[in-house]
Structure formats: C-alpha cells, structure tokens
Amino acid sequence: MAVPGIGDRNADWLLVGEGPGAEEDRKGEPFVGQAGKLLDAMLGAIGLSRNKGIYIANAVKCRPPGNRTPASEELAACYPFLARQIALLQPKLIIALGRPAAQVLLNREIRISAERGVPHDYAGIPLIVTYHPAYLLRNQHDKAKAWADLCLARRLVPPQV
Ligand code: URA
C-alpha cells in the first residue's frame, strides 16, 4: 500500500527516509522495522517521538520491488508528493535520512559522507543530511556521526514538543 507518512502535523522537524520496506508496506506506516526501532531510539534520546515534534515521510511512497533502492525515475515521480507534504507541513527543519532522500531534496548526486555535518538549504528550510538508520545497523562505527548530525539539527532548530 502507499505509505505517505506519519506524525505530528504541527511538527518542527520533518524526517525523510528512502521508501517503505516490506513491513512498512504491510502496516502503512514508515519506519516500523529494525531501522525504525533504531530511529525511534535515537529520537527518544533527545526527547522526541514519532508523534511528538516530528513528522516522518519517505522520498518514495510505495515499496520498490525487492526492497531495492528507488530508481531516479521513481524518486522523480514521487517528488511532487513530497514537495506538497513539505509545503503543507511547513517544517522548520528537514533531515534527509540516506542518499536517495538527500539527492531528491538537494536535486543533485551526493555522497552522505561529503555532505553531512553542515546545514544545507531546501527552499529556505535548513536541511541536514545524515546516514540512513538501516545503513547504521550495518555500519555501527558511523553511528557517532549520525548522532552528531542529530545534535546539530537540535542546535539549529530546537524542536518544540
Ligand atoms: N526505510 C526507509 O527509508 N523508510 C521506511 O519507511 C522504512 C525503512
């Protein structure tokens, strides 16, 4: 099923993932699998949860077959939905989780390692680019960097909860 997003519609922070996986496809909610548990734990450590101060969406709204990375045409096809979500939610900060989300929001090819750690801009909204939680499950040594990115986000736009 389509997985548009979930969370607090008055949230200051919008998190954008890649696309629904198998569990998300079944439940209609983003980040409900293992990666989501890590994401919830990281948000919990700074007093946030998916229903409080945060809205979570994905770059593509439907599960790519076999959980593969969304193709650039799929990202482009879903982008108008994401752009509309951003226009409606009017977040004060956007966090792109992983390369596909970052590329679609920055509208260029990037490497997370080269772009993380500094604020970018999406239509006047500060944009932080960081590692995807599924990547962090496989590459634990980069968790500290993702944590630093979250702390940077919190310094830039302290979330109101
Ligand atoms: N990974 C994502 O990028 N989004 C989800 O909703 C689940 C896993």
Side-chain angles (χ1 to χ4, degrees), residues 3 17-21 24 29-32 35 58 97 132:
V3 184
E18 182 174 315
E24 288 79 17
E29 181 175 335
F31 284 104
V32 289
N58 277 313
L97 301 168
H132 191 284

Side-chain angles (χ1 to χ4, degrees), residues 101-153:
Q103 292 192 157
V104 91
L105 290 167
L106 288 169
N107 196 25
R108 60 187 168 85
E109 294 272 318
I110 62 124
R111 283 185 10 256
I112 296 291
S113 57
E115 308 288 344
R116 58 154 298 277
V118 289
H120 297 268
D121 176 88
Y122 174 89
I125 304 168
L127 168 67
I128 298 290
V129 163
T130 192
Y131 294 106
H132 191 284
Y135 166 89
L136 295 174
L137 290 173
R138 299 188 305 269
N139 298 274
Q140 305 262 343
H141 57 276
D142 278 332
K143 267 191 182 171
K145 291 181 193 152
W147 179 247
D149 295 335
L150 209 52
C151 292
L152 168 63

Side-chain angles (χ1 to χ4, degrees), residues 15-125:
L15 271 56
V16 183
E18 182 174 315
E23 273 186 72
E24 288 79 17
D25 184 47
R26 266 194 304 278
K27 294 198 178 148
E29 181 175 335
F31 284 104
V32 289
Q34 284 307 313
K37 290 198 175 72
L38 175 58
L39 182 61
D40 285 341
M42 292 177 74
L43 292 173
I46 55 168
L48 297 174
S49 77
R50 57 180 60 211
N51 300 311
K52 218 173 57 172
I54 296 270
Y55 194 91
I56 307 178
N58 277 313
V60 296
K61 310 303 184 192
C62 295
R63 179 185 178 222
N67 277 353
R68 62 164 167 70
T69 302
S72 53
E73 311 82 72
E74 292 164 339
L75 289 162
C78 280
Y79 175 66
F81 295 100
L82 179 62
R84 185 75 184 133
Q85 283 179 306
I86 296 171
L88 289 170
L89 291 164
Q90 298 193 297
K92 297 197 175 80
L93 176 96
I94 303 176
I95 302 181
L97 301 168
R99 195 164 177 238
Q103 292 192 157
V104 91
L105 290 167
L106 288 169
N107 196 25
R108 60 187 168 85
E109 294 272 318
I110 62 124
R111 283 185 10 256
I112 296 291
S113 57
E115 308 288 344
R116 58 154 298 277
V118 289
H120 297 268
D121 176 88
Y122 174 89
I125 304 168

